[in-house]
Amino acid sequence: MRWLSVALLAVLALLQYPLWLGKGGWLRVWEVDRQLEQQREANTLLQSRNAGLDAEVRDLKQGFDAIEERARFELGMIRNDETFVQVPEQADGESPAAAKTAEAPPAKPSPPASPAKAAIKKAGR
């Protein structure tokens, strides 16, 4: 009788092996499910990026405002009646007090400007 119990346990273990560790086993299913979820997240990010690019392409095809904006900010182009003024960025390690002592104080307070973009001012003003 004892011999029969051991044989049945061995058969049961052999039957459970493919269920847990085989090609279509639970561990493989869990791994594939995790990969599927990662791919869905990547696809969502790519779809949002593609939607933005599609909107930009449509804007470039339909109007001249987007083309003018790109020419101004990416190529630095200006119109004939404009003056180009660029505000330099502060160094990251430089403190605001050190920047003030290195530069002459401005005559008029200037409006806050984005350091990454150049300001364009009409020459007639």
Side-chain angles (χ1 to χ4, degrees), residues 1 8 28 64 97 99:
M1 190 67 161
L8 287 176
R28 178 72 178 140
F64 291 106

Side-chain angles (χ1 to χ4, degrees), residues 36-82:
L36 178 65
E37 192 60 37
Q38 287 178 345
Q39 189 61 48
R40 283 183 179 157
E41 290 173 7
N43 288 350
T44 303
L45 291 173
L46 291 174
Q47 284 174 345
S48 64
R49 185 194 71 157
N50 287 348
L53 290 174
D54 184 46
E56 188 174 347
V57 166
R58 275 187 276 121
D59 192 30
L60 287 171
K61 283 182 178 180
Q62 291 176 358
F64 291 106
D65 292 337
I67 295 171
E68 182 180 350
E69 180 182 348
R70 280 191 167 227
R72 287 175 179 272
F73 292 110
E74 291 180 9
L75 302 175
M77 300 178 90
I78 59 172
R79 291 184 184 159
N80 289 335
D81 62 341
E82 292 178 339

Side-chain angles (χ1 to χ4, degrees), residues 84-103:
F84 179 73
V85 178
Q86 185 174 7
V87 179
E89 296 182 22
Q90 272 188 346
D92 290 337
E94 190 176 314
S95 68
K100 287 183 181 178
T101 58
E103 299 174 4

